[in-house]
Amino acid sequence: MGRFAVSTMFFHEYPCDCIFDYVAESGLDGLEFWVETPHFWLRDRPEDELAGCIAAHPELAPITVHAPSLDLNPCSINPRVAEISVEYTVEAIRMAERMGAGVVTVHPGRRTAKRHPSAYDYRRFEEYIARLREVAEKTRVKVAIENLEPRVNALLYTAEDAAEVLDREPWLWFTLDMGHAMMASPGEVDRFIDLCIERMVNVHVSAIGGNGRPHHPVHNDPSAARVLAELADRGYDGYLTLELEDMVFAGPLSSEEKVVLLARELEALEKIFS
């Protein structure tokens, strides 16, 4: 059976020690620490505090890490934006190693203009991958690239593109964002599973809402249940990380309501993966 986790961004408004407490209270046994979690990011990333949170909650270890991605783009046409984006990702991998994390998820980047990626953009992408390879080969943490939403300028959002990169880079792992894939079609999710499951170490779990957007709860959602059941049938035993957006609900949720919601999500996952 895999590890059941949640992204810290679901509790983005709380201090890190509270986030760890709430996740443990929900019954989940894992946590994906997004480096841009405000209490951590806006205080210059105090790693000693994060290490203390991990030590105080051994039942959640090893955690996973999500590299910074907000306002960043490693394939940007602006060389300074690209440079700082790559460096933040490299720093996240090194931090994940220091924290004893099992996986660090990275984003592939996109073309700056809302047009199909050009040769220039793919060259930037190859330079980015080469830099990650250099760092990954010196660490024990698994570096996993994530599929993005199906947009015209995204560099990696189809199963075939992901499989091609993974075939070229044997050190690289894969994080399936099932919500992103489901935005394209149910068949696209199946292709990701067919082509990438052997390198899949993390799944960002969410359902598509009535607005056509991902990051909704999966309990009572038949489409999400089908994808999860397929993963279970195929023997997937990596991290299953709930990536939920608290803004999709009718009103703000208290910490208690978020914990209860996660417990319901956990029950649905355990039913499928038991």
Side-chain angles (χ1 to χ4, degrees), residues 26-87:
S26 74
L28 294 166
D29 61 357
L31 175 150
E32 181 175 75
F33 190 82
W34 197 304
V35 178
E36 289 158 315
T37 300
H39 184 253
F40 183 74
W41 182 257
L42 297 177
R43 296 168 57 248
D44 200 25
R45 295 171 285 169
E47 288 189 17
D48 56 337
E49 292 184 14
L50 176 57
C53 291
I54 296 170
H57 296 85
E59 71 277 18
L60 300 178
I63 67 166
T64 64
V65 169
H66 195 298
S69 62
L70 305 178
D71 290 333
L72 300 175
N73 179 13
C75 302
S76 174
I77 196 171
N78 184 320
R80 292 185 181 178
V81 172
E83 180 182 7
I84 194 64
S85 300
V86 173
E87 286 309 307

Side-chain angles (χ1 to χ4, degrees), residues 78-186:
N78 184 320
R80 292 185 181 178
V81 172
E83 180 182 7
I84 194 64
S85 300
V86 173
E87 286 309 307
Y88 271 131
T89 304
V90 166
E91 289 173 12
I93 296 170
R94 290 173 174 160
M95 187 198 83
E97 173 80 359
R98 291 191 291 270
M99 295 299 109
V103 175
V104 55
T105 292
V106 303
H107 277 198
R110 63 193 181 279
R111 180 174 180 175
T112 302
K114 291 184 173 63
R115 298 173 180 269
H116 290 292
S118 66
Y120 174 88
D121 303 299
Y122 285 111
R123 187 164 62 250
R124 281 280 192 195
F125 178 71
E126 293 303 326
E127 293 170 356
Y128 171 52
I129 291 295
R131 184 75 176 97
L132 298 187
R133 183 193 310 121
E134 177 186 345
V135 178
E137 289 175 347
K138 299 175 183 177
T139 66
R140 292 163 295 176
V141 64
K142 293 179 177 179
V143 178
I145 198 161
E146 176 185 349
N147 59 299
L148 297 184
E149 293 184 2
R151 294 185 177 179
V152 66
N153 59 333
L155 275 151
L156 196 154
Y157 70 87
T158 71
E160 287 75 16
D161 286 346
E164 182 182 350
V165 172
L166 294 173
D167 286 344
R168 292 201 315 263
E169 306 293 340
W171 58 273
L172 188 61
W173 300 86
F174 185 62
T175 291
L176 170 66
D177 191 304
M178 57 181 275
H180 291 169
M182 290 168 68
M183 289 177 69
S185 72

Side-chain angles (χ1 to χ4, degrees), residues 210-233:
N211 60 356
R213 301 290 301 165
H215 309 314
H216 289 251
V218 298
H219 68 271
N220 297 329
D221 187 279
S223 296
R226 185 198 69 81
V227 174
L228 293 166
E230 178 66 18
L231 286 166
D233 290 344

